[in-house]
């Protein structure tokens, strides 16, 4: 996987630019599974199997891919306990917790405007 390198240029933080590192990061974390995982991990440290239950509907494969991506971006921490079988736990890092506050704001927005959006969809689909 080729990753853009940050050189401190403002262009790299511009989401509108296709070659922006910020856009690459945004694309990673702005998907439904990543947001739901971040929300679940914001509550407490969880094992993989607990996350499968918490994030209803996610497949084993998608959970694995998204946890790896969150860990790669420094948003989640993976701790392996030296037991047999190994026990693996996931938690959010400080940047992950900061992102969770944004996710919480998005959840609040969704709850606040759910009725409005539902009514608009009904009118549109009629």
């Amino acid at each position: 996987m080729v990753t853009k390198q940050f050189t401190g240029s403002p262009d790299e933080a511009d989401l509108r630019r296709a070659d922006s590192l910020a856009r690459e990061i945004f694309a990673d974390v702005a998907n439904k599974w990543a947001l739901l995982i971040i929300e679940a991990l914001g509550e407490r440290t969880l094992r993989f199997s607990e996350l499968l239950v918490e994030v209803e509907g996610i497949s084993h494969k998608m959970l694995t891919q998204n946890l790896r991506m969150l860990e790669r971006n420094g948003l989640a921490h993976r701790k392996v306990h030296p037991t047999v079988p190994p026990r693996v736990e996931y938690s959010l890092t400080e940047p992950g917790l900061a992102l969770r506050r944004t996710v919480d704001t998005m959840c609040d927005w969704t709850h606040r405007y759910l009725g409005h959006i539902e009514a608009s969809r009904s009118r549109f689909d009629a």
Side-chain angles (χ1 to χ4, degrees), residues 40 44-56 63 88-90:
R44 63 190 189 282
T45 297
L46 295 169
R47 295 176 71 176
F48 187 90
S49 59
E50 293 172 319
L51 277 166
L52 275 173
V53 172
E54 287 284 324
V55 183
E56 194 172 313
L63 181 55
V88 181
E89 296 176 332
Y90 296 90

Side-chain angles (χ1 to χ4, degrees), residues 4-69:
K4 296 166 183 65
Q5 297 296 313
F6 182 68
T7 61
S9 165
D11 292 339
E12 290 160 346
D14 186 352
L15 288 175
R16 295 169 295 174
R17 290 179 50 110
D19 64 344
S20 163
L21 177 59
R23 184 185 281 191
E24 181 181 313
I25 295 165
F26 186 78
D28 280 350
V29 300
N31 75 71
K32 70 177 178 181
W33 297 125
L35 296 175
L36 292 170
I37 293 166
I38 290 166
E39 184 66 19
L41 287 176
E43 298 292 324
R44 63 190 189 282
T45 297
L46 295 169
R47 295 176 71 176
F48 187 90
S49 59
E50 293 172 319
L51 277 166
L52 275 173
V53 172
E54 287 284 324
V55 183
E56 194 172 313
I58 194 168
S59 69
H60 189 279
K61 179 182 176 181
M62 287 308 297
L63 181 55
T64 299
Q65 288 177 352
N66 277 275
L67 285 169
R68 286 181 182 159
M69 174 275 298

Side-chain angles (χ1 to χ4, degrees), residues 31-124:
N31 75 71
K32 70 177 178 181
W33 297 125
L35 296 175
L36 292 170
I37 293 166
I38 290 166
E39 184 66 19
L41 287 176
E43 298 292 324
R44 63 190 189 282
T45 297
L46 295 169
R47 295 176 71 176
F48 187 90
S49 59
E50 293 172 319
L51 277 166
L52 275 173
V53 172
E54 287 284 324
V55 183
E56 194 172 313
I58 194 168
S59 69
H60 189 279
K61 179 182 176 181
M62 287 308 297
L63 181 55
T64 299
Q65 288 177 352
N66 277 275
L67 285 169
R68 286 181 182 159
M69 174 275 298
L70 292 170
E71 187 179 10
R72 178 176 181 261
N73 284 308
L75 302 174
H77 175 73
R78 179 179 184 262
K79 182 175 183 177
V80 180
H81 297 274
T83 60
V84 178
R87 188 181 71 187
V88 181
E89 296 176 332
Y90 296 90
S91 59
L92 293 180
T93 61
E94 189 278 321
L97 289 168
L99 180 56
R100 190 203 181 218
R101 290 190 287 278
T102 300
V103 173
D104 285 345
T105 301
M106 292 172 62
C107 290
D108 292 344
W109 174 88
T110 302
H111 289 114
R112 181 175 181 183
Y113 292 104
L114 193 60
H116 170 83
I117 293 167
E118 186 177 40
S120 181
R121 286 179 172 190
S122 292
R123 285 190 306 275
F124 187 86

